[in-house]
Amino acid sequence: MPNPARRALLLGSLLKSVSRSFYLTLRVLPTGMRDPVGIAYLLARAADTIADTSLIPPEKRMELLLSLRSQVNSFLDEEALTRMAVEVASQQTDSDEKVLLESLGSALTVLSQLSESDQESVRDIVTTLTKGMEFDLRTFPDESSGQIVALQEFAELDQYTYMVAGCVGEFWTKMTYAHVPRTFTGCPEVLLGRGIRFGKALQMTNVLRDCGKDLRIGRCYLPATMLARFGLTPHDLLLPDTSLPARPLLFELVRKSLDHFREAIEYTLALPAFSIRLRLACLWPVLIGLETLLLLVCNDDWLDPSKVSKIRRNDVYRIIAFSVPLVPSNRLLRIWFERLIARVETRMRG
């Protein structure tokens, strides 16, 4: 059992070092939600590191990923954890990621100390997220193969966004109902659905923002059937002059993302005005996501990985500073949201 200092390290400085901007959201969560959300994040981040360590063959990554999923759902296997530390942690150039992988035993012990309902929720979310990572490893070629594989249909992309992010919105909603009861107004089923679409909105934004980088490791999340409608192939997207011809496809996917964001906005505004912490935790990713979409539709070289549409740190601080005094007001927040969406839509029409 990790001592209090070890637990504090895991859910404090280590969590902060590996979660980056998400740590801002974690810090404003109500107290009861922090530990289950934090430990879910650490386990998912460790799994993601295993899945993305390209120096290890995909087959071995799959084996280690499935081993971690099994341990999350059953009993601690010290020997398997030692193999992960040796085989994966040793390949990390980021010391924080290395420490995380070497701390998996403590993280799994902290998981076992949560309430039974929280344990079940954390295990469910980590299982679903690792299925999304498994999907990546099974669907796409080795990063060094020089090949590109595309998803086929939009439904496949939609299912993928559920596995890697929509399920997080679902988990977040369940955590809110469990730890901050009587917070949401409205039908629970509707709120769960909106929570899923909240996560999908953020992941769609990530897919579009990172498209150029993903293509260069053989992953095309833009569906082949959609590419074909615009006379494009996955390999065409690697050409230096394809960003402009591919903008109609970008705009179609941005519109689908905006539909998800509209549901995320209603999700956020369903929180009562006095739930300042939960509102801020939802408000910031929505605003950062919408501003990222605005950068994307203004970026004539959106497929160039050297010109990625990424929000600057100063803009994140600006969003945080402006949001705090406005957070209790649905009217003012809705105006802010609608103006941002209007700017994205105007740019696409222009």
Side-chain angles (χ1 to χ4, degrees), residues 3 39 44-45 75-76 90 117 120 149 237 249 290 341:
N3 60 39
I39 206 66
R45 183 58 181 261
F75 297 104
L76 189 66
S90 62
S117 60
E120 181 180 357
V149 170
L237 302 179
L249 170 60
L290 288 173
I341 290 174

Coordinates of all heavy atoms in Angstrom, one line a residue, residues 3 39 44-45 75-76 90 117 120 149 237 249 290 341:
N3 N 2.3 4.8 0.8 CA 2.1 5.6 1.9 C 1.5 7.0 1.5 O 1.4 7.3 0.3 CB 3.4 5.9 2.7 CG 4.5 6.5 1.8 OD1 4.2 7.4 1.0 ND2 5.7 6.0 1.9
I39 N -6.7 9.3 -11.0 CA -6.1 8.0 -11.1 C -6.5 7.4 -12.5 O -5.7 6.7 -13.2 CB -6.5 7.0 -10.0 CG1 -5.4 6.0 -9.8 CG2 -7.8 6.4 -10.2 CD1 -4.1 6.5 -9.4
A44 N -4.7 5.8 -17.9 CA -4.9 6.0 -19.3 C -3.7 6.6 -20.0 O -3.3 6.2 -21.1 CB -6.1 6.9 -19.6
R45 N -3.0 7.5 -19.3 CA -1.8 8.1 -19.9 C -0.7 7.1 -20.0 O 0.1 7.1 -21.0 CB -1.4 9.3 -19.0 CG -0.1 10.1 -19.5 CD -0.4 10.6 -20.9 NE 0.7 11.3 -21.4 CZ 0.8 12.7 -21.4 NH1 -0.1 13.4 -20.9 NH2 1.9 13.2 -21.9
F75 N -6.1 -8.5 -10.8 CA -5.1 -8.5 -9.7 C -3.8 -7.9 -10.2 O -3.4 -8.1 -11.3 CB -4.9 -9.9 -9.1 CG -6.2 -10.4 -8.5 CD1 -6.9 -11.4 -9.1 CD2 -6.7 -9.9 -7.3 CE1 -8.1 -11.9 -8.6 CE2 -7.8 -10.4 -6.7 CZ -8.5 -11.4 -7.3
L76 N -3.1 -7.3 -9.3 CA -1.8 -6.8 -9.5 C -0.8 -7.9 -9.8 O -0.7 -8.9 -9.1 CB -1.3 -6.0 -8.3 CG -0.1 -5.1 -8.4 CD1 -0.3 -4.0 -9.4 CD2 0.3 -4.6 -7.0
S90 N 12.2 2.3 -20.1 CA 13.6 2.5 -20.5 C 13.7 3.2 -21.9 O 14.8 3.7 -22.2 CB 14.4 1.2 -20.6 OG 13.7 0.3 -21.5
S117 N -17.8 1.7 -6.2 CA -18.5 2.3 -7.4 C -17.5 3.1 -8.2 O -17.5 3.1 -9.5 CB -19.6 3.2 -7.0 OG -19.2 4.3 -6.1
E120 N -15.2 0.7 -10.1 CA -15.9 0.2 -11.3 C -15.9 1.2 -12.4 O -15.7 0.9 -13.6 CB -17.4 -0.2 -11.0 CG -18.2 -0.8 -12.1 CD -19.6 -1.1 -11.8 OE1 -20.0 -1.0 -10.6 OE2 -20.3 -1.5 -12.7
V149 N -2.7 4.0 -43.9 CA -4.1 3.4 -43.9 C -5.1 4.4 -43.5 O -4.8 5.1 -42.5 CB -4.1 2.2 -43.0 CG1 -5.5 1.6 -42.8 CG2 -3.1 1.1 -43.6
L237 N -2.8 13.9 -49.4 CA -2.8 14.8 -48.2 C -1.3 15.1 -47.8 O -1.1 16.0 -47.0 CB -3.6 14.2 -47.1 CG -5.1 13.9 -47.3 CD1 -5.7 13.4 -46.1 CD2 -5.8 15.2 -47.8
L249 N -13.2 19.5 -47.3 CA -13.3 18.3 -46.4 C -13.1 18.7 -45.0 O -13.9 18.3 -44.1 CB -12.3 17.3 -46.8 CG -12.1 16.1 -45.8 CD1 -13.4 15.3 -45.7 CD2 -11.0 15.2 -46.3
L290 N -13.0 25.5 -29.4 CA -13.6 26.4 -30.4 C -12.5 27.3 -31.0 O -12.5 27.6 -32.2 CB -14.8 27.2 -29.8 CG -16.0 26.4 -29.5 CD1 -17.1 27.2 -28.8 CD2 -16.7 25.9 -30.8
I341 N -18.5 30.6 -32.4 CA -19.0 29.7 -33.4 C -19.3 30.5 -34.7 O -19.0 30.1 -35.8 CB -20.3 29.0 -32.9 CG1 -19.9 27.9 -31.9 CG2 -21.0 28.3 -34.1 CD1 -21.1 27.3 -31.2

